[in-house]
């Protein structure tokens, strides 16, 4: 049978300076999955994303991307990455939305830039300065920048930090739409567990090792959460 795996980790372990952070992680992400990566602070979620992006190399185990071992993988444009939000106060130069998004497009391609702005619904903001925008709007700019490279997988690290509640609903709708309509594979690190369990198709819970990987429903029913976050933690799973 042909493998449909976009990303596969086999017995991956990683340490920073001999301090183990991830141990024996085996995980398969299928094309079209919407994976929520959850787990306690310091559990290794961001480190795992850095491994998938080839920014760190595991000391043990292997990672393959569309069947190619990571050290030989070249199609990095296939993996879009939206890092944790940087405060736009850090941007000293006045820069427009269109300019930011065009940095993501191959050779600053205008069509790819316009398409990405359209995809996230911010074409009307193209000429505005990044610094003038709300947190939620800026978040969309960085998603558009990632989409301008036409990736097959989009990795988001804590994407709703600094985004107000009203804009968060809109944000999750956008991500669901990219997953459903564009068949984009999504990997989203989040601390917002109550929301995430209702949005994603698969959960991966990381706390040094892979505590859980599967449907959100089984994660809740089997009470993994109380073991990780304390006995009083309760969940609400909305009907779909
Ligand atoms: P999470 O994203 O789940 O909060 P991280 O992957 O950021 O977890 O961190 C996992 C562990 O690795 C933490 O104990 C953190 O202090 C440590 N760590 C993260 N980055 C580095 C680094 N560059 N050098 C050394 N230790 C690090």
């Amino acid at each position: 049978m042909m493998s449909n795996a976009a990303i596969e980790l086999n017995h991956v372990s990683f340490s920073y300076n001999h301090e183990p952070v991830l141990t024996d992680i085996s995980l398969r992400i299928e094309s079209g999955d919407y994976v929520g990566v959850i787990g306690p602070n310091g559990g290794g979620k961001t480190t795992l994303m850095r491994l998938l992006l080839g920014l760190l190399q595991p000391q043990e185990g292997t990672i393959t991307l569309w069947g190619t071992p990571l050290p030989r993988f070249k199609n990095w444009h296939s993996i879009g990455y939206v890092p944790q939000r940087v405060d736009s106060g850090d941007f000293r130069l006045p820069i427009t939305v269109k300019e930011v998004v065009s940095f993501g497009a191959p050779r600053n391609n205008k069509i790819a830039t316009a398409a990405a702005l359209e995809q996230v619904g911010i074409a009307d903001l193209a000429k505005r300065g990044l610094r003038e925008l709300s947190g939620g709007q800026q978040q969309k700019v960085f998603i558009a920048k990632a989409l301008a490279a036409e990736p097959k997988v989009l990795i988001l690290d804590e994407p709703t930090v600094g985004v107000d509640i009203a804009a968060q609903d809109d944000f999750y709708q956008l991500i669901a739409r990219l997953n459903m309509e564009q068949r984009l594979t999504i990997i989203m690190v989040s601390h917002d567990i109550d929301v995430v369990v209702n949005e994603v198709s698969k959960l991966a819970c990381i706390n040094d090792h892979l505590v859980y990987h599967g449907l959100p429903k089984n994660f809740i029913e089997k009470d993994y959460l109380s073991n990780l976050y304390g006995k009083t933690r309760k969940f609400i799973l909305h009907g779909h």
Side-chain angles (χ1 to χ4, degrees):
M1 201 180 84
M2 277 285 287
S3 165
N4 199 30
I7 296 175
E8 243 182 312
L9 287 86
N10 282 303
H11 302 291
V12 166
S13 296
F14 180 83
S15 312
Y16 289 106
N17 313 314
H18 307 287
E19 192 67 48
V21 170
L22 294 170
T23 307
D24 197 22
I25 308 257
S26 292
L27 174 67
R28 198 182 138 100
I29 295 172
E30 312 283 341
S31 291
D33 274 356
Y34 181 175
V35 185
V37 180
I38 60 167
N41 275 335
K45 302 180 293 297
T46 298
T47 303
L48 182 67
M49 297 308 112
R50 290 188 189 140
L51 286 165
L52 299 183
L53 292 160
L55 302 172
L56 297 171
Q57 277 74 46
Q59 283 86 5
E60 284 173 54
T62 56
I63 299 174
T64 54
L65 304 168
W66 294 280
T68 303
L70 195 142
R72 289 201 272 116
F73 186 75
K74 299 224 161 54
N75 300 327
W76 287 107
H77 70 88
S78 301
I79 303 189
Y81 178 47
V82 181
Q84 289 187 19
R85 212 170 76 84
V86 208
D87 187 343
S88 69
D90 293 351
F91 294 97
R92 294 201 175 181
L93 297 170
I95 184 167
T96 67
V97 167
K98 197 162 82 177
E99 283 167 331
V100 174
V101 175
S102 73
F103 294 151
R107 297 178 300 281
N108 289 0
N109 182 311
K110 285 197 177 119
I111 296 168
T113 301
L117 286 166
E118 204 58 65
Q119 264 181 307
V120 305
I122 55 167
D124 56 327
L125 300 178
K127 298 209 170 94
R128 297 273 294 275
L130 185 68
R131 285 185 303 193
E132 303 163 28
L133 305 183
S134 70
Q137 288 171 324
Q138 286 182 8
Q139 186 58 270
K140 288 186 178 175
V141 175
F142 289 107
I143 292 168
K145 176 174 180 262
L147 294 177
E150 299 176 350
K152 292 195 273 187
V153 170
L154 186 64
I155 297 179
L156 303 139
D157 196 349
E158 299 276 12
T160 56
V161 171
V163 175
D164 66 54
I165 300 287
Q168 285 184 19
D169 274 355
D170 189 42
F171 166 83
Y172 285 115
Q173 275 179 33
L174 167 65
I175 300 300
R177 196 157 47 75
L178 292 172
N179 175 243
M180 300 288 280
E181 291 173 15
Q182 321 257 346
R183 299 280 302 146
L184 192 64
T185 306
I186 310 277
I187 303 173
M188 183 170 74
V189 174
S190 181
H191 62 272
D192 208 348
I193 309 173
D194 295 275
V195 177
V196 163
V197 293
N198 288 293
E199 293 290 330
V200 301
S201 58
K202 303 255 179 71
L203 268 186
C205 180
I206 312 273
N207 187 19
D208 173 76
H209 58 288
L210 185 64
V211 176
Y212 178 83
H213 179 224
L215 300 175
K217 189 170 175 281
N218 298 343
F219 178 81
I220 295 161
E221 284 170 3
K222 298 222 170 97
D223 218 16
Y224 283 92
L225 205 72
S226 55
N227 295 326
L228 280 169
Y229 297 90
K231 293 283 177 209
T232 55
R233 192 66 169 73
K234 283 269 179 290
F235 260 119
I236 303 160
L237 191 63
H238 307 297
H240 279 279

